Amino acid sequence: MLGRVNHIALAVPDLAAAVETYRTTLGATVTEPQALPEHGVTVVFVTLPNTKVELLEPLGPQSSIAAFLAKNPAGGMHHICYEVEDIIAARDHLLLSGARVLGDGNPRIGAHGKPVLFLHPKDFWGTLIELEQV
Amino acid sequence: MLGRVNHIALAVPDLAAAVETYRTTLGATVTEPQALPEHGVTVVFVTLPNTKVELLEPLGPQSSIAAFLAKNPAGGMHHICYEVEDIIAARDHLLLSGARVLGDGNPRIGAHGKPVLFLHPKDFWGTLIELEQV
């Protein structure tokens, strides 16, 4: 079921400063910031040869990552996104296995314009997993 | 400087149970467990088309991940390993940028038999970064 690692998402409290760290200290290629108010984040991508790292800064009061940063003020690793071929088939298999899908169980359109689901970290050894149909 | 994401490492309190989750619930290919007493871990790899996820369980009293699991008993995302072409050049650039390298600053031989360094998470927005020369 699991396909490519689409991205690894890191929450940061100060996106401009984090971009500077990745660009200058780590010598990586970083995209321009994109505000995604419907997801409550501003995002940049660190482009790597085989996948990407997504740096997320909270945007607005409803941000999904504000609670994470309240617990981890310096920032930290937030989730891993895996690609799947068929997100409905993946969801149904997960539910039959007893795993919990966050929200109402229906895929929503994610930050990349594709259907996504998030899985409960308590069912996956403390790691928040996003599935994206590509 | 940053090359491919070599692996994403997740610490787990029960490797056999976590392997079952990745193999059965998530439908992924998982390698056989390897005990690495000199690194204080038992490791398996979840093989994905573009990179791998490393599941780490503590091994022995000196385990480098025991403290992490004491803080995160359910497990969690532990570090990201990036490939670099020249680990000494990478280290020297990082030190000149004011970033801290863990340990005595000299690469040691990592779990894959290649020279590795770990960077201080406080200098990288809460994320523990491993560099591996490939």
Side-chain angles (χ1 to χ4, degrees), chain A residues 79-131:
Chain A
H79 68 264
I80 304 182
C81 177
Y82 297 100
E83 299 177 358
V84 294
E85 277 185 26
D86 180 337
I87 202 162
I88 298 296
R91 176 198 64 188
D92 292 348
H93 170 76
L94 288 161
L95 292 175
L96 274 175
S97 307
R100 285 166 287 179
V101 171
L102 298 185
D104 66 4
N106 291 311
R108 61 190 187 95
I109 297 303
H112 314 117
K114 306 272 177 66
V116 301
L117 281 174
F118 283 88
L119 311 183
H120 201 307
K122 288 204 175 156
D123 294 335
F124 296 95
W125 306 96
T127 294
L128 177 61
I129 293 178
E130 180 180 13
L131 299 180

Side-chain angles (χ1 to χ4, degrees), chain A:
Chain A
M1 185 168 82
L2 292 188
R4 296 174 74 256
V5 171
N6 183 274
H7 62 269
I8 306 135
L10 313 181
V12 298
D14 181 339
L15 189 60
V19 164
E20 184 60 19
T21 302
Y22 276 82
R23 214 171 250 160
T24 305
T25 310
L26 291 169
T29 303
V30 185
T31 63
E32 289 304 303
Q34 268 183 284
L36 301 169
E38 70 281 21
H39 295 282
V41 292
T42 304
V43 60
V44 305
F45 296 106
V46 180
T47 311
L48 300 158
N50 60 334
T51 186
K52 52 190 185 266
V53 166
E54 189 177 83
L55 303 178
L56 301 171
E57 180 188 60
L59 177 65
Q62 299 294 320
S63 178
S64 56
I65 60 165
F68 178 89
L69 283 169
K71 276 190 216 161
N72 305 277
M77 298 174 75
H78 189 264
H79 68 264
I80 304 182
C81 177
Y82 297 100
E83 299 177 358
V84 294
E85 277 185 26
D86 180 337
I87 202 162
I88 298 296
R91 176 198 64 188
D92 292 348
H93 170 76
L94 288 161
L95 292 175
L96 274 175
S97 307
R100 285 166 287 179
V101 171
L102 298 185
D104 66 4
N106 291 311
R108 61 190 187 95
I109 297 303
H112 314 117
K114 306 272 177 66
V116 301
L117 281 174
F118 283 88
L119 311 183
H120 201 307
K122 288 204 175 156
D123 294 335
F124 296 95
W125 306 96
T127 294
L128 177 61
I129 293 178
E130 180 180 13
L131 299 180
E132 179 173 312
Q133 180 173 305
V134 289

